[in-house]
Amino acid sequence: MKLIEYPINELATISHPCSCGKVHKGMIDHIAIGKGALRKLPEFLKEQKLLDGSPLTKEDKLLIVSDVNTWKVAGETVFHMLEEEGYPVEHYIYPYEKMHTEEGHIKELNDHFPEGIKMMIAVGSGTMNDITRYISFHRHMPYYIIGTAPSMDGYASDVSPVIIDNLKRSLPGQCASGIIGDTDILATAPEKMIAAGVGDIMAKFLDINDWKLSHIINGEEYCEEVADLMLLSAQKTVQNIEGLKKRESKALQDLMEALVLSGIAMSYVNTSRPGSAAEHSMAHVMEMTSLLNGEYGELHGTCVGMATCIITRLYEKFLERPIDYEAAAKKAEAFDYDAWVKEIRRVFTSAADPIIKLYEKEKRNDPDNVKDRLKRIKEHESEILSVIRGTMDQAKLAEPCIRGLNGWTTAVPFGFTREHMKDITIYSKEQRDRYAAIQFLYEVGELDELLEEVLDEDYGK
Ligand SMILES: [Zn+2]
Ligand SMILES: [Zn+2]
């Protein structure tokens, strides 16, 4: 059987000898997504084990973590449900409407952490999940997440993004032991959050595209079954936009499953490759810019969705013209490291050092390295172009899908100036050592020109 043939609750715990030669393992004990899924919570807890392998009992105290909104939407219900089941339950409600996973908020909960807690239950989406994952990991206890919005694909992630000194860092964490997405709760999420979730999923078309490209160009390990799993869930999402507008249970279920699957797929291959490429790097730089400016910024999926639309348009324009290898090689030779360092310092200011250090690892823009890859691109040109063409047939649907939910598909509503957006796009490729769309378009010598065309369309000439 192939991975795409399994239902999500089996994928969560599967040990799958894959056609790629590896064994993919799911790490999540319990998943319930659908109408009334919250009712599964007591059943899951009855089977839950603590990290030392002993069973969770009704003597063991649970801690519910929420913010003011998610407490109203579901936290309170969960609290009473667990009390009725006979568990000792405590709760911590962050007194904020909007918050990120900042070091200070982690300290805040640690300072208020009740005695004798054996397990944590987060109620929320990105931030509540990230905070609870981080704290439960450090306190050696399992945690569950009760999702309140299908807004991002980090539900099944095992890393903890934490903001320290205005910089987002990926710190170690653990997978949730249980994930619940009750569509009656998800249906109450604001449209903006649903559009963000759709944006995060639309990115998968590009993620698989860039993974394939890197497989062809750099020989990076690639798993077709995992890739197909991602593509299928993105295709389902495209079909579900009308249903999402009406908050239909099945459409919300499919979207939530896609978001959870993305994390599971990443854990199968021990890399975020199946769910994160150039659009995620762009989103990361947007988030970083907001933080450095002391602003809250937009939702992760809102940034990812917009970046997906921009990169799709870059690729579409790229397909319209032949690759000029000679001109590309000349551009590669003109790379000036000192000028590059100056640019990185200008764009990333206080966050520039780690990026400059990262460059030393691969020296990715060094002329010889770029020319090496250009050679392989030339050798495999028809294969590469057919991969990108196939992707564009689907990725071009990202824009109407996101727009269908009143989401943002250009940088204009974000308030980024044209110059700013240019920096974000071009330099996003430098903050991470992952070969993806922007690096590829840079290496074939087309990035600057294609980007000017896209920005002309969005900002006017
Ligand atoms: Zn595989
Ligand atoms: Zn994402």
Side-chain angles (χ1 to χ4, degrees):
M1 240 162 102
K2 294 246 163 92
L3 282 175
I4 49 165
E5 296 169 71
Y6 290 94
I8 189 164
N9 52 336
E10 284 184 42
L11 289 170
T13 53
I14 207 169
S15 179
H16 174 70
C18 184
S19 51
C20 73
K22 296 218 155 139
V23 178
H24 301 312
K25 286 191 179 124
M27 308 290 282
I28 298 161
D29 301 332
H30 304 289
I31 289 189
I33 298 171
K35 198 168 173 54
L38 186 58
R39 287 197 293 269
K40 292 260 184 191
L41 177 60
E43 196 182 303
F44 288 173
L45 288 175
K46 262 178 214 141
E47 295 169 1
Q48 188 56 48
K49 289 196 167 60
L50 299 172
L51 295 192
D52 63 6
S54 65
L56 180 86
T57 69
K58 293 206 172 165
E59 312 283 293
D60 293 325
K61 207 195 275 179
L62 311 172
L63 175 67
I64 296 172
V65 182
S66 69
D67 65 23
V68 280
N69 292 320
T70 64
W71 175 255
K72 274 184 269 171
V73 170
E76 202 171 357
T77 311
V78 173
F79 181 79
H80 292 306
M81 186 184 225
L82 297 178
E83 251 189 353
E84 272 166 37
E85 284 292 318
Y87 290 96
V89 205
E90 302 251 6
H91 60 79
Y92 184 75
I93 307 170
Y94 279 99
Y96 315 107
E97 295 273 341
K98 257 183 170 187
M99 58 185 276
H100 285 304
T101 310
E102 280 165 56
E103 209 181 10
H105 292 319
I106 288 172
K107 184 174 180 302
E108 181 180 335
L109 178 50
N110 273 328
D111 287 348
H112 291 90
F113 210 84
E115 287 286 311
I117 298 295
K118 288 290 171 60
M119 179 174 167
M120 296 172 77
I121 297 178
V123 180
S125 55
T127 305
M128 288 307 118
N129 190 32
D130 288 340
I131 288 181
T132 309
R133 177 192 302 117
Y134 184 81
I135 294 181
S136 65
F137 174 69
H138 285 279
R139 288 178 177 265
H140 309 289
M141 54 180 75
Y143 91 96
Y144 281 7
I145 168 74
I146 316 289
T148 55
S151 57
M152 52 90 223
D153 68 353
Y155 280 110
S157 165
D158 62 356
V159 292
S160 306
V162 179
I163 297 162
I164 302 170
D165 297 333
N166 286 332
L167 282 181
K168 198 168 169 183
R169 288 167 211 249
S170 274
L171 301 180
Q174 63 180 353
C175 269
S177 294
I179 300 176
I180 292 180
D182 188 324
T183 53
D184 291 334
I185 297 169
L186 300 177
T188 66
E191 187 171 52
K192 194 169 182 156
M193 295 188 91
I194 298 176
V198 168
D200 217 1
I201 291 302
M202 290 299 102
K204 308 310 165 211
F205 292 125
L206 298 180
D207 300 336
I208 300 308
N209 179 83
D210 290 358
W211 193 11
K212 274 187 201 162
L213 253 51
S214 184
H215 174 62
I216 297 169
I217 299 165
N218 306 312
E220 187 176 328
E221 267 185 39
Y222 174 76
C223 170
E224 188 146 15
E225 287 196 34
V226 168
D228 286 347
L229 199 59
M230 290 293 86
L231 290 176
L232 182 68
S233 54
Q235 285 152 1
K236 266 198 209 164
T237 305
V238 169
Q239 303 299 324
N240 274 329
I241 301 302
E242 284 307 310
L244 287 171
K245 275 193 216 169
K246 295 182 213 137
R247 304 291 191 276
E248 283 170 8
S249 176
K250 184 68 177 75
L252 289 162
Q253 178 180 334
D254 282 349
L255 176 58
M256 187 67 176
E257 284 195 2
L259 292 164
V260 172
L261 259 185
S262 173
I264 294 177
M266 293 181 200
S267 71
Y268 283 163
V269 287
N270 286 321
T271 149
S272 59
R273 238 324 166 183
S276 170
E279 75 298 324
H280 269 74
S281 299
M282 277 175 69
H284 187 86
V285 177
M286 288 180 225
E287 290 161 18
M288 212 159 131
T289 310
S290 306
L291 288 171
L292 288 170
N293 293 338
E295 293 157 5
Y296 179 79
E298 293 300 330
L299 291 169
H300 166 78
T302 308
C303 299
V304 169
M306 183 272 274
T308 298
C309 295
I310 300 279
I311 293 172
T312 299
R313 287 160 63 200
L314 292 172
Y315 264 140
E316 281 182 317
K317 289 180 189 298
F318 161 74
L319 287 176
E320 288 166 9
R321 58 188 83 190
I323 305 176
D324 183 342
Y325 290 98
E326 225 171 282
K330 264 194 199 139
K331 278 190 189 166
E333 270 160 19
F335 176 74
D336 174 345
Y337 176 76
D338 293 332
W340 178 86
V341 169
K342 256 191 204 152
E343 279 294 272
I344 295 299
R345 293 214 181 280
R346 175 182 68 79
V347 175
F348 294 100
T349 60
S350 60
D353 279 338
I355 297 169
I356 295 166
K357 220 170 129 195
L358 180 73
Y359 183 83
E360 290 307 312
K361 233 173 88 186
E362 262 190 64
K363 298 198 187 317
R364 202 167 39 188
N365 299 332
D366 275 23
D368 287 345
N369 292 337
V370 175
K371 283 195 286 182
D372 257 4
R373 281 191 292 271
L374 272 173
K375 216 173 104 196
R376 287 195 293 277
I377 293 170
K378 197 173 180 183
E379 281 163 16
H380 299 278
E381 184 181 307
S382 64
E383 189 186 356
I384 289 170
L385 293 181
S386 102
V387 167
I388 301 175
R389 271 196 202 100
T391 301
M392 288 309 112
D393 287 342
Q394 310 193 69
K396 68 179 181 208
L397 301 171
E399 200 172 304
C401 285
I402 295 169
R403 204 165 272 163
L405 291 157
N406 296 308
W408 295 345
T409 57
T410 78
V412 180
F414 286 76
F416 293 126
T417 63
R418 179 181 177 134
E419 280 311 304
H420 204 155
M421 195 51 201
K422 198 171 149 183
D423 283 343
I424 288 172
T425 310
I426 292 178
Y427 292 107
S428 63
K429 65 180 160 48
E430 313 293 0
Q431 53 88 30
R432 193 177 183 200
D433 53 354
R434 172 158 298 175
Y435 192 84
I438 301 295
Q439 184 73 25
F440 171 79
L441 294 172
Y442 162 79
E443 293 186 351
V444 293
E446 302 282 359
L447 180 61
D448 291 345
E449 224 169 278
L450 296 172
L451 183 58
E452 290 299 340
E453 282 179 31
V454 165
L455 295 176
D456 276 348
E457 289 166 7
D458 292 348
Y459 288 88
K461 282 196 185 186

